Amino acid sequence: MNSPYSKYFDIDAATTYLTTPGSGLLSRETKQWRTQRDQAFHESNTSLREQQGTMLDSCRNTLGQFFNCPGTNVFLSSCFSFAFNALLAGLPKHYKVLLLDNDYPSVNFPTIISGFEHSFVNMDEQLEANILDAIATFRPNVLILSIVQYISGLKIDLSFIQELKHQHPDLLIIGDGTQFLGTDLFDFDTSGFDAVLSSGYKWLMAGFGNGFILLNDRLKEILYADIQKNYSYLNNQWMNKSVVQLCFEPGHLDTLAHGTLQQSLLQFEQWGYAETVLYTQNLLAKARTELANRGLLLDRILNRRPQSNIFNIQIDPKNFQLLMDEGIKCFPRGSGIRVGFHLYNDHADLEKLLHIIDTKVN
């Protein structure tokens, strides 16, 4: 089955683009919008500079509507890492934090060096049970994890997060959505997460320089609580902004970058986001079956559901250059080669990958 979405992208006929986990493609329409916007913005007679605040508010509202989060609880950032470090800086320093072992370095490293008492959960096919055991013994205030793991593609059970919040309402749950958002339906308000942060350059297909954080009201009150109590000393020109907004958005934001993110979300809506998810999930099911039949999946992926859009194919990473020479865009990660399937991929891409593995990989 051909992708009904690939026609919206400029993909060379000789290229099989399976490296969205590293960087997603921009649609032709989004690229055209960027070109026109950038040219117009730098004209001397433009009014776009004066519309900066209005445009950023519009982007926040689009994000809020897309992921069901109040626009006033959406904050923009240049990337996940900047927003995440601002979040860590606002948490009470006595909090105990539970992390996943070998999670994304930009999640674990800044948490550790921030000085929080922390403990790790073993990441295997029993991940959810491991989390429950760690909560019972370590008693953390915060659980921080990537919703989808960048190396293996392991995906947390989102229904587990909802139940975990029900069982432990005082536990703050913070998710890195960079390898997840854009691949599946997501309702932040009912998700059980207190915060989800993401960059836009992967599955949201929005290029670099944009990211965001979705917050619920409870965490919004906790962050920088001491500063919020002494808000009166701030300069009057900032009185229309909250402390939390000032900490997440301390400087100028790039309207081209965040406008690109907004355009990508609007295009998802134009296509019918639920339909794009259904299409890719059907493709993923086929890919999972074929790779499993060849014994190429990690045990911790094979023995669990749900499935993310990422697969770590268990072939020697030295085959990376071979695959690249054959036009397969991929990347060596961990013990294998990482690939990802997005809406512009189709069964022909999968068949090409499988053919090369079957006939040319040692």
Side-chain angles (χ1 to χ4, degrees), residues 12 28 43-44 107-108 153 207 264 273 283 287 295 300 311:
D12 188 274
R28 189 179 303 111
E43 297 292 337
S44 62
V107 171
N108 283 2
S264 185
Y273 183 51
L283 179 58
R300 63 180 177 272
F311 297 95

Side-chain angles (χ1 to χ4, degrees), residues 4-5 66-67 182-186 264-283 309 342-343:
Y5 308 104
F66 197 87
F67 296 115
T183 69
D184 203 351
L185 301 177
F186 183 67
S264 185
L265 294 178
L266 293 175
Q267 193 157 42
F268 268 123
E269 292 178 345
Q270 179 183 336
W271 291 330
Y273 183 51
E275 284 74 20
T276 71
V277 170
L278 179 61
Y279 168 78
T280 53
Q281 287 181 343
N282 289 333
L283 179 58
N309 289 48
H342 205 8
L343 54 81

Side-chain angles (χ1 to χ4, degrees), residues 84-85 88 97 99 106-116 118 144:
F84 183 60
N85 279 275
L88 291 175
V97 180
L99 301 166
S106 292
V107 171
N108 283 2
F109 178 70
T111 305
I112 294 167
I113 66 171
S114 294
F116 292 104
H118 59 276
I144 302 177

Side-chain angles (χ1 to χ4, degrees), residues 195-216:
V196 169
L197 309 89
S198 180
S199 291
Y201 68 94
K202 297 181 187 287
W203 304 95
L204 291 172
M205 305 180 298
F208 291 89
N210 59 70
F212 58 93
I213 176 171
L214 313 174
L215 288 181
N216 65 11

Side-chain angles (χ1 to χ4, degrees), residues 87-88 90-92 94-99 116 131 135 139-145 161 164-165 167-175 188 192-196 215-224:
L87 184 150
L88 291 175
L91 288 174
H94 67 273
Y95 273 10
K96 298 166 65 176
V97 180
L98 189 62
L99 301 166
F116 292 104
I131 290 174
I135 289 173
R139 300 188 180 279
N141 304 99
V142 190
L143 169 65
I144 302 177
L145 52 78
I161 295 296
L164 183 64
K165 175 58 74 171
Q167 294 179 10
H168 301 276
D170 292 334
L171 177 70
L172 294 175
I173 307 176
I174 297 169
F188 175 72
F193 284 98
D194 296 275
V196 169
L215 288 181
N216 65 11
D217 288 334
R218 177 175 174 240
L219 182 52
K220 191 176 177 181
E221 292 179 358
I222 291 173
L223 292 172
Y224 299 98

